[in-house]
Amino acid sequence: MPPSPLDRERLERLIEVGRGLLVELDLDEVFDRVLGIARELTGAKYAALGVLDEDRRQLAEFHTRGIDEETHQAIGDLPRGRGILGVLIDDPRPLRLDDVGAHPKSYGFPPSHPPMNTFLGVPILVRGEVWGNLYLTEKAGGEGFDAADEASVVVLADWAAITIEHARLYRSADARRRELERAVRGFEATAAIARAVGGETDLNRVLELIVKRGRALIEARSVLVFLREGDELRVAARAGERAPAAHGLVAIADPLVKESLERQRPLRLHKAKHDLSGPAADFGFPDASSALVAPLVYRGQAVGLLVAFDRLSGDASFTRDDEQVLDAFAASAATAVATAQTVQAERLRHSLEASESERRRWARELHDETLQALGGLRVLLAGAARSDDAERKQAALEAAVDQLSQDVTNLRAIIADLRPAALDDLGLEPALDGLLERLAVNHGWELRSELDLGPRRLTPALETVVYRLVQEALTNVAKHANADTVQVHVVPDGKRLEIRIADDGAGFDTHAQLPGFGLLGMRERVALSGGDMIVRDHEGTGTEVLAILPLLYDENGGVDDP
């Protein structure tokens, strides 16, 4: 075996270079270091590294050292692999020339190109295939490159090939890692929306969850949800940067919006400023460079749009992966929105039905008691007016006064049932005290109550729910239980409010749908307040209603620490 042309100093330097290169994972940094070391080892004035395209027919990239930026600009386009550079592509073996221009394949140099005579070219082989080439020109002192220079650059090219392969594998693994992380975020976001479908029915909360999760999922500058309202789309929620210029409504007739809704497919816009020129003021982001539009489709119907603007990382443009992820996310989001809208409509329907039922109830009360009493009073006074007997007139007037007093009492009771003044003026505890006292007297109950709400007022909504719950439960006792003793317990327990109404009456089947009990309305009130309610029948010896509600105070909406 012939002796190596490399001296000890170069060998030691190449070993040191190899150790340093193998820890480098950034390709641009690898290119820069290889070019610098190649010049150092050979004394070349200029160095270049060409990267072949996928077909390995020409150069896709060309990195240089030794030529300043001004000269680069003057030369113009970088070479693609013709002439001497093409020789190395066609025949990937080291090539040394003392005069580039003398070679038959030489094309010469473009204007403004610095003079280059001596040349050394070495291929970079990755896994046995040509990946690129190292080019060196103009050895110091005007000498030609020798065998030692060639051997040094061949070893350097081998180190570069190993390093490049490591960097490519790392870049590929890192890309897969990012894809997996994005997929996990997508699964997490979709799972969150799925949980919202099963557990969250408040439309505003669902929309807030969608825009926040969607923005984090694709790392967008801003995400908006538009919901369909007839022939328009309304901004229902947003996350990220706000758009003060947004009008809040976009006409469905707009070509962009119409295309997304009708095709029920996402749109990826690389020139959002141009593509959104029509509805830009409505969307509120006229300066956006990119946008992603995903329709919210539920059971074949588009209920709205999910619109994202500008990625926060990279070049601000959304990728095909972003489009696929947001489209899948939008499918789950559409289900959540449609479910929440259905629940909202159902609540409104129940509320209207409850209001109508309440109106019918008070109409019956007024008709059966007040109107009949007033009719009897009219007959009494009319008879007294026709009588000439002074004593009969006096007796009739006294009876009329008694009747009016009773009617006034009845009307006050009806008004108190509708909305007791004490509930607004004094609070829940005095209002309940008045209700319990009145019902105990009217029905002859032995009443045992525990009301301990403290000095702080509850929120108006919670006070109304508790009052109506106790009122309805006691109305049921009066109508159906035939009870002697009634217990009412309304006491805070940590961050909860416990309401318990029990009697020693006849009881009833808690699973039967008995008319007039109002259990459905009671359960709905409790559920809408975020609480739970159970009704227990004590084997024919009474009934117990137990409700647990979140404890909310009026002053700051919070709860004191227990």
Side-chain angles (χ1 to χ4, degrees):
M1 178 180 293
S4 170
L6 296 176
D7 56 35
R8 182 182 182 85
E9 183 179 349
R10 288 204 191 192
L11 283 172
E12 290 177 348
R13 177 61 177 139
L14 284 169
I15 292 172
E16 180 187 350
V17 164
R19 290 172 178 168
L21 282 177
L22 288 177
V23 299
E24 186 59 61
L25 295 173
D26 182 82
L27 277 178
D28 290 333
E29 184 64 25
V30 170
F31 297 157
D32 190 61
R33 291 188 63 183
V34 166
L35 291 173
I37 293 166
R39 293 176 68 197
E40 173 193 335
L41 291 172
T42 63
K45 184 176 182 180
Y46 305 110
L49 190 153
V51 180
L52 299 183
D53 61 12
E54 292 183 359
D55 297 329
R56 295 180 174 83
R57 294 182 179 276
Q58 62 179 1
L59 298 175
E61 298 178 33
F62 200 75
H63 305 268
T64 65
R65 285 285 294 269
I67 298 179
D68 57 36
E69 184 61 30
E70 184 178 350
T71 304
H72 262 303
Q73 295 293 331
I75 293 172
D77 294 337
L78 294 176
R80 290 300 177 186
R82 295 188 296 269
I84 296 299
L85 302 187
V87 173
L88 274 174
I89 296 174
D90 297 333
D91 185 13
R93 291 181 298 175
L95 176 64
R96 276 188 287 147
L97 300 172
D98 290 332
D99 186 359
V100 174
H103 195 279
K105 291 288 186 73
S106 176
Y107 271 31
F109 298 104
S112 303
H113 196 286
M116 294 182 181
N117 295 307
T118 56
F119 174 87
L120 172 61
V122 173
I124 299 174
L125 304 177
V126 175
R127 294 191 178 186
E129 293 185 344
V130 182
W131 184 86
N133 294 298
L134 265 175
Y135 309 109
L136 300 164
T137 61
E138 292 302 289
K139 184 178 172 74
E143 302 176 2
F145 293 100
D146 57 25
D149 295 326
E150 180 180 321
S152 299
V153 177
V154 167
V155 173
L156 178 62
D158 290 340
W159 281 127
I162 297 171
T163 304
I164 288 166
E165 178 64 4
H166 285 177
R168 287 172 63 189
L169 290 173
Y170 173 79
R171 179 178 290 182
S172 176
D174 189 54
R176 286 197 296 271
R177 177 186 60 80
R178 290 195 299 270
E179 289 175 3
L180 288 173
E181 287 178 351
R182 177 169 294 184
V184 169
R185 291 199 301 271
F187 286 134
E188 289 175 346
T190 302
I193 296 301
R195 286 194 296 271
V197 174
E200 181 60 71
T201 55
D202 180 76
L203 180 59
N204 290 330
R205 292 287 299 278
V206 169
L207 292 171
E208 179 185 4
L209 181 64
I210 288 170
V211 292
K212 288 183 177 179
R213 292 280 181 158
R215 179 175 181 247
L217 185 62
I218 59 173
E219 300 176 353
R221 167 188 172 192
S222 185
V223 170
L224 295 84
V225 169
F226 289 80
L227 293 185
R228 192 167 190 162
E229 291 185 356
D231 293 333
E232 292 181 318
L233 291 166
R234 175 181 57 85
V235 178
R238 71 179 75 232
E241 181 180 328
R242 297 189 63 84
H247 294 178
L249 290 174
V250 178
I252 292 179
D254 180 87
L256 172 72
V257 177
K258 192 173 183 180
E259 179 183 0
S260 182
L261 290 177
E262 288 183 352
R263 294 175 58 197
Q264 296 185 0
R265 293 181 181 178
L267 295 175
R268 184 157 45 105
L269 309 174
H270 297 291
K271 297 180 180 179
K273 191 172 184 179
H274 174 267
D275 295 330
L276 295 178
S277 59
D282 298 325
F283 279 109
F285 289 93
D287 63 333
S289 60
S290 66
L292 197 53
V293 181
L296 300 173
V297 181
Y298 178 71
R299 292 184 178 179
Q301 297 293 323
V303 299
L305 287 177
L306 191 59
V307 184
F309 292 97
D310 292 345
R311 290 203 72 199
L312 292 175
S313 58
D315 61 357
S317 294
F318 293 106
T319 65
R320 174 64 178 167
D321 290 339
D322 294 324
E323 179 182 337
Q324 292 176 340
V325 168
L326 192 66
D327 190 33
F329 177 77
S332 297
T335 302
V337 169
T339 302
Q341 287 177 327
T342 300
V343 171
Q344 190 177 62
E346 193 69 10
R347 285 176 178 170
L348 179 59
R349 185 179 66 81
H350 282 307
S351 177
L352 293 175
E353 288 179 353
S355 297
E356 288 300 318
S357 176
E358 200 76 358
R359 289 189 180 96
R360 286 193 294 270
R361 174 185 171 187
W362 296 122
R364 286 195 301 271
E365 294 282 351
L366 291 171
H367 179 272
D368 295 344
E369 295 184 13
T370 306
L371 286 181
Q372 290 186 18
L374 290 174
L377 181 60
R378 178 182 178 184
V379 171
L380 178 63
L381 291 174
R386 291 193 298 269
S387 175
D388 295 329
D389 188 337
E391 291 184 2
R392 286 187 62 188
K393 284 187 176 182
Q394 182 62 33
L397 289 174
E398 291 176 358
V401 170
D402 293 339
Q403 182 65 44
L404 283 172
S405 297
Q406 183 61 42
D407 292 344
V408 168
T409 300
N410 291 340
L411 282 173
R412 283 176 176 167
I414 291 174
I415 292 170
D417 285 342
L418 283 170
R419 182 72 182 181
L423 186 60
D424 294 321
D425 297 338
L426 303 178
L428 178 60
E429 191 170 329
L432 287 177
D433 278 331
L435 174 66
L436 298 179
E437 182 180 354
R438 185 171 68 255
L439 292 176
V441 171
N442 292 344
H443 301 289
W445 296 332
E446 179 185 344
L447 183 65
R448 301 172 185 172
S449 64
E450 183 182 4
L451 308 176
D452 185 15
L453 297 175
R456 297 179 64 187
R457 292 286 298 269
L458 306 180
T459 61
L462 182 58
E463 288 189 343
T464 300
V465 169
V466 175
Y467 185 87
R468 293 302 184 199
L469 189 64
V470 174
Q471 181 186 43
E472 189 63 41
L474 293 177
T475 299
N476 289 340
V477 173
K479 290 182 177 180
H480 308 288
N482 193 25
D484 295 320
T485 303
V486 176
Q487 301 178 42
V488 177
H489 171 96
V490 182
V491 176
D493 180 13
K495 295 184 178 181
R496 309 182 307 168
L497 182 64
E498 182 178 298
I499 302 106
R500 185 170 64 88
I501 303 99
D503 65 78
D504 62 354
F508 73 100
D509 183 359
T510 58
H511 300 289
Q513 297 296 323
L514 299 179
F517 268 60
L519 288 179
L520 178 61
M522 294 166 66
R523 292 186 191 279
E524 286 182 348
R525 285 184 187 274
V526 172
L528 290 173
S529 299
D532 296 298
M533 187 185 93
I534 58 174
V535 181
R536 300 190 182 112
D537 173 42
H538 295 293
E539 299 181 357
T541 59
T543 304
E544 180 183 16
V545 176
L546 177 63
I548 304 295
L549 299 173
L551 184 59
L552 301 174
Y553 289 104
D554 187 36
E555 293 179 356
N556 53 22
V559 181
D560 284 345
D561 291 331

